Amino acid sequence: MAVELDVFVGNTTIMDEEVYQLWLDGYTVNDAVKVRMEGGVMEECEASADVLLSDTMDQYRTFQMCERLLHSPAKLANQLLFQIPPNRQAILIERYYAFDDAFVREVLGKKLSKGTKKDLDDIGAKTGVTLKSCRRQFDNFKRVFKVVEELKGPLVENIRQHFLLSDKLARDYAAIVFFANNRFETGKRKLQYLTFQDFAFCAGQLINNWTVGAVDNMVEDMDVDLDKEFLQELKELKILITDKDLLDQHKSLVCTALRGKTKAFNEMEANFKNLSRGLINIAAKLTNTKDVRDFFIDLVEKFIEPCRSDRWTAADMKLYLTHYTNSAHILDTFKHQVVWDRYMGVIKSCIFKMYHD
Amino acid sequence: MPGKLKARIVAGRHLPVMDRASDLTDAFVEVKFGNTTFKTDVCPKSLNPQWNSEWFKFEVDDEDLQDEPLQVTVLDHDTYSANDAIGKVYIDIDPLLCSEAASVISGWFPIYDTIHGIRGEINVLVKVELFNDLNRFRQSSCGVKFFCTTSIPRCYRAAMVHGFVEELVVNEDPEYQWIDRIRTPRASNEARQRLISLMSGELQRKIGLKVLEMGGNAVVGYLQCFDLEGESGLVVRAIGTACTLDKLSSGSAPNTNTHMPVFGEDLLSSSGPPTPFRALPTSSSSPPPFSPSKPCSRQSSSSDTDLSLTPKTVTIISKNPLVKSLCTVSDTAVFFYLQEFPFFTLTSFPPGFLVHVGGVVSARSVKLLDRIHNPDEPETRDAWWEEIRQEIKSHAKALGCHAVVGYSESTSICEEVCILSASGTAAILNPRYMLQLGLEADGRWCVLFSRFEEPSPPSCGFCHIPYDELNMPFPAQLTYCYHCRRQKVPDVLFTTIDLPPEAAVTGKGCLIQARLCRLKKKAQGEVNATAISNLLPFMEYELHTQLMNKLKLRSMNALFGLHIQISVGENMLLGLASATGVYLTALPAPGGIQIAGKTPGDLSNEQHILTIQKRINDTIAKNKELYQINPPELTEEVVGSPIPDPRQRSRLFRSHSESSDEVSELDLSHGKKDAFVLEIDDTDAVEDIHSLLTDAPTPTGFYSCNTEVMPGIYNWTSGVQMFTSVRVLRLSNANLTNQGLNKIFTDLCENLLKSFYFKLRSMIPCCLCRLNFTVAVPEEELIQVAVTAVAMTFDKDQTQEKPAEKAITKGLSVSSLDRSSPLPEGRSRSLRSNRSFAGGSVTVVKMTPLSFLPGTRIIKYLGIINMFFIRETSSLREEGGVSGFLHSFIAEVFAMVRAHVAALGGNAVVSYSMKECVFMENPNKNQAQCLINVSGDAVICVRETDQEPIPSMTNIGQTCTSGTDGAT
């Protein structure tokens, strides 16, 4: 006796959110049934294992049939095959495009190429995410990347409109696209302590302040590429470390402001020149693509690590950077205030975000 | 040339990529009607082409308009080779031919290919201009409305019910023509789809002609079926009930105060209906000029049985038109009056329409199919059906009835053997209604009389026996009616109709199924047919016994919506009987089930019997609680056995005294009632009892029934989920016994139900309504069960007490009724959900096998939906195996139905049914094919509260209907 064929089709497509999640997580039908049994759904409705298996298979089939539509979510709204209420459609899409932070952390900044795709099984093994789920997430990144690559206008808005995602998720995708495009290094051991959300925040800062889109909002790739002119202008900031007078002046201004306000004052004073050199050198080198890639590792090595070894608190960090930025405005001979603000604004918020254990 | 058909192709979207090189498509469209074809320009390199074509105009006969569908083919232009077809859309023009239905068809249709399924969508506009044609000899029947609904459609009133109409047309099946060997599967499928579409158009036109001849304007309860007879051909047949319907405009909706009393009088006086009496006496004196028995030219192929539909003896009614009492109609005159049109495909009637119900009548006949040589002379098939109908008629007569209601016909074919089945419910109808059937504006049958008085006799009238007590057609225990105490009622009542609205029911009902498998030897021709014929009576008997036992086990006494299907396969017969069991207050309480052993001396055996008996008693007690069956025990005992009137009172008195003598006497009577003593004499009986007890109860929060709605549930909320489920089981074990098979079959059905409950658990509290099981034996070792049903949510708080009771306790002013009723809340919830659904760019189309959607009013019927699709694949594995293949096909069928309804301007399909689902597979060749036929009524419905003055009316109607129940 074998069930040869078993289907259930509702006029309104029936989808169980729990099963959907299991499907997205790459569980096989049998594993999904096990998980559901352990979840106690059987007692809920006096069901048997057979019923559960049949239901899970039905749902998996439905999801597979829907998957094609989920690849271009706008189609889901005007297709005729499945009658799905709009609120359900939104859930389906949002969940389909959701990703595991552990997984995305691994591929962040990597080229979304076939080569990376081949490494997915390693990533899967490392993060505990099933290969199937890894593939879906990777393909999602790639799909979003490809679509927005050719579009004009603000990145987050484009993603949200094309893939009908929530604002939060659209921002995360913008970060992923931005990182993939600029190939930021995120995998080094020293960067391991940073979460995806740390990077996503920084990406948001960079997109909003350092890209072409920050000044002109109708060019292609405006939010994906950094503003070349700005990067060029950043070289001018070197004066802050090359001009001995300026450097000393800057230091004394900062130290005056900080004195007595923090326990770490001595370390700050001792390290000022070193730290300032670190930040300014990062700025000056950003015209090189290679150095752009190392932006985050440089921030950690040249600034965060020294501070951490001196046991600065987060408050110390905030205080120091605020005064460091503001004091530059008082320097008479320093003429690059606009560039300085644009640079330090982002650096400040990035370091605040990244300064944790 | 009385019609002009106009079509415009607007645009396409989501087209498939036809040119691999460019990943694009150069699409154009061919629009074909009859032999005329138009083409649009090619829209190069686009998957979302905009054609914006001119209006293509076809000048055609209205006869063709009825028969032919508009055929829209989307193709990919190819400069060097032949153009590739992307897919087709068939658009049925029929709804446009009726002034009251749709005026334009406009919308996105899925482009369908029989090999690839849905491939994108196309936006089409269709209009029809009809010229008036007064030719009396015309062959078309434009304007006759068709309804699948088996009650008078809501928003109409029946001015007159004319009676039964039937027709069948036959043709060769293109799949079996010689040309099929050389053409592609696609061409063959399309030929078949087209032919069936043509045949159903023709059939509908012919039935329409008959209706016009009878003076009607509509067919209600239209049931069309296909018989795929294989080599011997293709039969499309239909039955229905011809009516004259008047549209109730919402403006003229009757208002509570004036109408209530008037309605009652309307029923009594046959004078003054808007469509007056239709000169019936004249038609009896001089036969109508176009009687169906003398058909004109093209009608030669029509199938007129000599069940002449023209009421010939109708004069009698005018002599005897005023039968006063509803309960005492037993005039022979009435009998004669209805004799000539005894079949009604309707299953639901206005209160008082059914005077008495006799019971289920059914007939089956086994036939050997032979090739239909001349499609224009389908006489054999006609004769077969005529034979069956005559038999049904004589059964009804034996039950003392003159009419058969809830009538349906079906076939089961295996190779060259065909079982024809017909069944219905014998009944005596109230002659007054033959002249005028009134319907309330809100579409509910309203009991408008005496809402606060004593319940009137008719609420139990239909239970009273129509036959002569001294000359009973079958052995039955008669008792005095528990309701009126005046007339005799049987101990159990089986019917094929829905529960009459006036019926008083105790507790809730439930789905009851009897399932049976019988092995038979493989054989050919006559031998095979004889073997099957010999098996049939045994199967019917066993199914009946099972039903009876299960009914008693649930402590119920009546079955409604009984449908018995017997399906034939090469080496087995499957029987499935489904019905909704209820406890009719007017009928006696069923006795228990007693187990008796054959060998009383055997002690261990006795012990065994005792345990079984205990289990059965426990189950009965549990079921009573589950279905809330608490009839007043005292009265039950009092009139428990047939006793003459005068003694009643004293009996009642004596039973109070509780003397030991009396108790024993009561026990005896209890035993006597108990017609079902099960004897455990062999393994068979043990199996039977076992299977009786293994039916799993429905989980908490669920109810199920196969009738329109569940007796005992009144307050539906707006949650509706229609579904279709198909399961095929492969029997691996070659040497199975009947018992083994029975178990497998029972488990299959039970597991299906369990699956439904599980899947729909988020809708709790909810009821599965119109559970329609269809069984088939597609191959030697396969059993197929297809189910279509609808799950509907209801308000839990109100199930315990009926709205009427609540209303009574809260006072009776209309306004307070309105507020205290749970319905408005439920409906306002539906408002919100509807609005949010409508947010999408695709119209939400609800589908239901019922004749209504809870919380809504149907304001317009747009026409009948009758669609036939074939899907085939030669890459079964790639499409996800058989399940994947069928899953997407069913989803596609739903999508196409919804698209057609939306294009007609509708937002729902009522009375939806899947009448055919033929699935064939050949896994070795990686192939499968499936045929699906669905039908229903496209409608526009609005939330009940959207209509200005009506809602309060509705609530009152509801309250009244249930008021009689509540008072019992």
Side-chain angles (χ1 to χ4, degrees), chain B residues 612-657:
Chain B
I612 293 180
Q613 182 72 58
K614 191 177 172 318
R615 270 182 71 196
I616 287 180
N617 292 347
D618 288 350
T619 314
I620 292 178
K622 221 166 62 194
N623 280 332
K624 270 192 178 173
E625 201 175 312
L626 185 62
Y627 301 114
Q628 297 154 16
I629 297 169
N630 315 301
E633 287 289 335
L634 192 71
T635 35
E636 175 205 340
E637 286 174 13
V638 170
V639 276
S641 54
I643 30 153
D645 246 332
R647 275 187 59 200
Q648 240 184 63
R649 198 164 275 272
S650 62
R651 285 275 292 205
L652 178 72
F653 180 66
R654 274 203 290 162
S655 75
H656 272 294
S657 68

Side-chain angles (χ1 to χ4, degrees), chain A residues 76-343:
Chain A
L76 198 63
N78 62 12
Q79 52 83 33
L80 303 177
L81 189 57
F82 299 104
Q83 186 156 279
I84 307 169
N87 58 337
R88 287 248 133 191
Q89 289 181 15
I91 293 172
L92 283 182
I93 295 166
E94 193 77 4
R95 291 268 186 91
Y96 189 79
Y97 283 90
F99 47 76
D100 291 309
D101 279 2
F103 171 78
V104 72
R105 187 63 190 77
E106 292 297 317
V107 293
L108 196 64
K110 283 191 179 140
K111 204 173 167 188
L112 298 175
S113 63
K114 285 211 174 96
T116 314
K117 198 169 179 180
K118 273 184 195 144
D119 300 336
L120 287 183
D121 37 1
D122 292 340
I123 297 176
K126 187 175 166 192
T127 57
V129 179
T130 60
L131 182 59
K132 205 174 157 245
S133 179
C134 287
R135 289 217 176 105
R136 172 183 58 88
Q137 297 181 38
F138 185 81
D139 289 341
N140 282 346
F141 300 158
K142 207 169 158 180
R143 192 172 318 112
V144 173
F145 186 92
K146 268 195 158 174
V147 167
V148 295
E149 211 177 21
E150 292 159 8
L151 292 174
K152 288 180 181 172
L155 181 60
V156 177
E157 198 46 40
N158 280 341
I159 293 174
R160 194 166 50 199
Q161 286 194 357
H162 254 84
F163 293 92
L164 308 175
L165 301 178
S166 67
D167 191 54
K168 168 79 175 65
L169 198 53
R171 279 178 200 286
D172 285 351
Y173 267 92
I176 293 164
V177 168
F178 184 73
F179 267 72
N181 188 59
N182 290 291
R183 309 275 302 281
F184 288 108
E185 175 60 62
T186 65
K188 287 273 161 55
R189 201 181 47 81
K190 282 178 179 170
L191 294 177
Q192 283 310 314
Y193 80 100
L194 292 168
T195 66
F196 168 71
Q197 284 308 329
D198 293 337
F199 283 118
F201 174 83
C202 297
Q205 290 294 316
L206 267 72
I207 292 169
N208 287 334
N209 298 294
W210 286 6
T211 59
V212 196
V215 280
D216 176 356
N217 57 13
M218 268 333 280
V219 272
E220 220 165 281
D221 284 345
M222 58 173 232
D223 280 347
V224 195
D225 294 335
L226 294 174
D227 183 355
K228 291 264 156 47
E229 271 175 53
F230 166 68
L231 297 181
Q232 207 61 45
E233 285 166 2
L234 281 177
K235 286 194 186 292
E236 312 285 345
L237 298 182
K238 270 202 134 172
I239 194 160
L240 282 175
I241 47 168
T242 48
D243 186 318
K244 186 85 176 54
D245 285 351
L246 262 182
L247 184 60
D248 287 338
Q249 222 179 333
H250 195 186
K251 179 180 173 182
S252 73
L253 280 170
V254 173
C255 289
T256 317
L258 287 173
R259 191 181 308 271
K261 287 186 183 155
T262 162
K263 282 182 185 164
F265 176 74
N266 290 336
E267 289 84 354
M268 287 181 184
E269 192 180 28
N271 266 334
F272 179 84
K273 287 188 180 171
N274 236 344
L275 293 174
S276 187
R277 270 195 207 104
L279 288 183
I280 304 292
N281 278 330
I282 293 173
K285 287 194 301 177
L286 282 177
T287 40
N288 298 328
T289 326
K290 170 77 185 64
D291 291 304
V292 170
R293 287 184 191 173
D294 287 341
F295 176 71
F296 291 100
I297 187 96
D298 286 346
L299 272 188
V300 169
E301 281 180 349
K302 301 284 157 51
F303 196 88
I304 292 172
E305 280 189 341
C307 297
R308 200 185 283 147
S309 64
D310 287 345
R311 297 178 186 282
W312 294 24
T313 62
D316 293 338
M317 175 65 74
K318 209 163 218 166
L319 197 67
Y320 176 83
L321 282 176
T322 312
H323 288 294
Y324 177 75
T325 312
N326 293 346
S327 301
H329 293 299
I330 315 168
L331 300 168
D332 316 324
T333 46
F334 184 61
K335 300 289 179 223
H336 311 286
Q337 306 292 357
V338 179
V339 180
W340 175 250
D341 277 347
R342 192 172 169 191
Y343 177 67

Side-chain angles (χ1 to χ4, degrees), chain B residues 40 83-84 149 159 181 256 296 345 366 375 417 524 553 634 672 750 779 787 865 885 894 940 953:
Chain B
T40 66
N83 299 325
D84 296 321
T149 303
R181 285 179 216 155
T256 334
C296 8
T345 54
V366 182
V417 176
Q524 300 289 318
L553 200 64
L634 192 71
K672 242 194 286 170
E750 285 286 316
E779 274 172 49
V787 188
I865 296 283
F885 171 72
F894 284 179
I940 304 177
M953 185 59 214

Side-chain angles (χ1 to χ4, degrees), chain B residues 29 76 103 183 272 330 608 665 688 725 783 865 901 912 956:
Chain B
V29 182
D76 177 50
S103 57
R183 66 180 160 193
S330 52
H608 180 61
E665 192 188 323
D688 287 348
S725 181
I783 298 180
I865 296 283
V901 172
Y912 170 85
I956 288 167

Side-chain angles (χ1 to χ4, degrees), chain A residues 7 61 64-65, chain B residues 112-118 871-890 892 919 926-929:
Chain A
V7 296
R61 245 188 339 258
Q64 270 152 25
M65 286 157 74
Chain B
Y112 182 72
D113 178 70
T114 60
I115 306 293
H116 294 101
I118 291 178
R871 181 87 151 77
E872 186 167 347
T873 184
S874 47
S875 50
L876 191 56
R877 273 186 296 277
E878 295 75 1
E879 293 199 36
V882 283
S883 294
F885 171 72
L886 193 62
H887 191 138
S888 48
F889 185 36
I890 293 174
E892 283 169 347
F919 179 77
N926 207 18
Q927 285 175 339
Q929 192 193 38

